[in-house]
Amino acid sequence: MTTAESTPVGLNDEAVLLVGHGSRREKSNEQVRTLAAALEERLGVPVDAGFLELAEPAIPDAIAGLAPAVAELTVVQLSLFAASHVKNDVPLAVEQARASHDLTINAGGHLGVHPALVDLLDERAAAVEADLGVDRETDDVAAVVCARGSSDPDANADAHKLARLLYEGRAFSRAEATFIGVTEPTLEETLHTVAKSRPDAVVVLPYMLGDGVLTGRIREGAAEFDAEYPYVDAAAGDPLGTDARLLDVLGDRWQEARTGSVNMSCDTCKYKVELDGYEEDVGGARAMLRALTHQETHADRENVDDDPHVHDAPADHVAVCTNQTCAADGAPAVLERLRQSVRDSDACDARVTRTSCLGRCGEGPMVAVYPDGVWYGGVEPDDADRIVSSHLDRERIVSELVDQTL
């Protein structure tokens, strides 16, 4: 745990960027900013807030604002579990920032499973018990931890681990993990299953940071269950909010990042190993391309209410590797030629950006066209015009340049 007293001195040239998801509800965005201000007071270094989508500033803009004033920046993520945002989107933004700014950028992990969060859930459960007039020491009380749900089995597994840790040594008759969307078991299914054991009460704990739409659905689900099962008292607790214990976790994640000791659950990551049902997700290249297109999907943050989750994304995204090897082979010239050709074209709808290493060193410059998943290798500046006029304008792949397809 990191405290103000344990913070090293002489860190005037260091700053922190706290990355939140971003929301159409400004109240949720303010929660991130509130935590950023509290974390600044805790750590004794400047802390700004940035957002993945739907809110400003975006991560690149937030880093650009801090870069001129500091020599070292640590990115800390206000994400509960490690799914696509944590594994793909934030790392991509960090790599792009490293290529654009002359400073050290440390990449921190997500909140994850942490003793402080288990204690916070325990406190939220105790508050619900007090409202219901039950005591788990003398009554049969079940706890249901309800998370958002993800397409990443690794993230969903952590929700189950969290529920089990809450159960251990805390006198609940049982503790179950459930989800409000995306995956199973659903909250409704879990509550009906728990009811079969006829507990005196069921405490539903929204494992959410803010009191938003999903938290509201969890409360509604608990209320409907309470009405349907008169022999079981049930109610939902409050989300995590801006409790100081979140600062304990964020402080630890900051310290891990700046000392190079960040641990990710790579052994069960669907982008690293083949898991049943997720075979098509294996491969860092797919993850990187998914992050690129997702980043473009949320490029417009000014009119999110008009089209709240799909913004002004171009039809095609062209990524040019500008890592050291490709750059030495002329990638910057290819990048600029592609951008010029796209500007000159009246037919294509594409955005061209630089990216970090695509893992094909010695075969570049590499150009990846997404969503088609076509990678071109050994691209020369003159080839850029053909990629635009043939592939982007007329959807005809330049076959002699193809390195691989995904």
Side-chain angles (χ1 to χ4, degrees):
M1 184 182 303
T2 303
T3 64
E5 289 77 17
S6 63
T7 301
V9 296
L11 297 179
N12 294 330
D13 60 347
E14 181 179 2
V16 175
L17 178 65
L18 180 63
V19 174
H21 182 276
S23 172
R24 297 187 297 276
R25 300 174 71 253
E26 189 56 27
K27 181 179 179 181
S28 296
N29 299 329
E30 278 302 312
Q31 178 187 10
V32 180
R33 298 184 183 103
T34 297
L35 284 169
L39 187 62
E40 178 172 317
E41 183 176 355
R42 171 73 67 91
L43 301 181
V45 300
V47 180
D48 280 1
F51 299 94
L52 274 159
E53 56 194 50
L54 301 175
E56 294 180 330
I59 298 174
D61 296 334
I63 292 177
L66 288 166
V70 298
E72 182 175 359
L73 176 65
T74 300
V75 176
V76 179
Q77 302 187 54
L78 191 62
S79 296
L80 294 171
F81 298 117
S84 293
H85 285 319
V86 170
K87 294 177 179 178
N88 298 340
D89 302 331
V90 174
L92 174 65
V94 168
E95 282 301 307
Q96 291 174 331
R98 285 170 174 160
S100 302
H101 301 286
D102 185 21
L103 77 159
T104 298
I105 303 180
N106 307 311
H110 59 296
L111 292 172
V113 179
H114 191 284
L117 297 176
V118 178
D119 289 342
L120 179 50
L121 279 178
D122 189 16
E123 184 177 287
R124 293 287 187 264
V128 177
E129 291 175 66
D131 290 341
L132 294 176
V134 296
D135 185 342
R136 74 186 84 149
E137 297 291 343
T138 55
D139 299 309
D140 188 350
V141 178
V144 173
V145 179
C146 189
R148 177 184 182 273
S150 170
S151 60
D152 191 317
D154 186 38
N156 296 329
D158 273 352
H160 286 274
K161 181 177 181 179
L162 191 68
R164 182 66 196 189
L165 288 172
L166 180 66
Y167 171 79
E168 294 286 348
R170 286 182 168 80
F172 289 109
S173 61
R174 62 191 296 178
E176 305 290 342
T178 192
F179 305 95
I180 198 60
V182 183
T183 191
E184 296 176 339
T186 66
L187 176 60
E188 182 180 12
E189 292 169 344
T190 301
L191 289 175
H192 287 320
T193 299
V194 169
K196 294 177 182 178
S197 63
R198 301 183 71 87
D200 297 312
V202 178
V203 174
V204 180
L205 301 172
Y207 198 62
M208 305 282 167
L209 288 166
D211 203 349
V213 174
L214 295 182
T215 301
R217 291 178 186 170
I218 295 171
R219 287 200 174 102
E220 291 170 2
E224 291 171 0
F225 172 80
D226 184 58
E228 186 175 352
Y229 289 85
Y231 59 85
V232 181
D233 289 328
D238 291 328
L240 304 183
T242 56
D243 190 276
R245 275 160 290 199
L246 286 172
L247 303 180
D248 296 339
V249 186
L250 292 170
D252 284 351
R253 300 298 177 247
W254 169 73
Q255 195 65 271
E256 291 165 359
R258 59 196 298 275
T259 57
S261 55
V262 176
N263 293 316
M264 290 290 287
S265 49
C266 294
D267 290 342
T268 51
C269 174
K270 68 175 182 176
Y271 300 113
K272 299 292 184 181
V273 297
E274 185 172 302
L275 300 176
D276 289 346
Y278 297 88
E279 292 85 355
E280 294 302 315
D281 292 333
V282 177
R286 289 185 178 87
M288 186 278 297
L289 288 173
R290 179 261 171 214
L292 280 170
T293 191
H294 186 267
Q295 185 181 76
E296 288 306 309
T297 299
H298 297 282
D300 177 13
R301 298 170 188 239
E302 295 181 0
N303 301 298
V304 295
D305 290 332
D306 296 338
D307 198 358
H309 209 74
V310 179
H311 309 305
D312 298 331
D316 296 291
H317 190 121
V318 183
V320 182
C321 179
T322 54
N323 215 33
Q324 185 174 0
T325 304
C326 282
D329 290 336
V334 173
L335 174 70
E336 291 309 313
R337 187 69 166 267
L338 280 167
R339 285 174 170 169
Q340 185 61 54
S341 295
V342 167
R343 286 194 293 267
D344 292 342
S345 172
D346 294 326
C348 78
D349 177 22
R351 178 155 183 174
V352 183
T353 65
R354 65 179 70 238
T355 187
S356 55
C357 185
L358 294 176
R360 309 290 289 184
C361 295
E363 301 173 37
M366 297 297 302
V367 175
V369 179
Y370 194 79
D372 299 333
V374 176
W375 288 28
Y376 294 115
V379 179
E380 300 289 340
D382 288 344
D383 297 325
D385 296 332
R386 288 197 294 153
I387 292 174
V388 173
S389 63
S390 180
H391 190 155
L392 300 179
D393 285 2
R394 295 181 291 168
E395 299 183 352
R396 296 179 181 176
I397 295 174
V398 186
S399 57
E400 64 268 30
L401 294 177
V402 172
D403 177 82
Q404 65 173 325
T405 58
L406 299 180

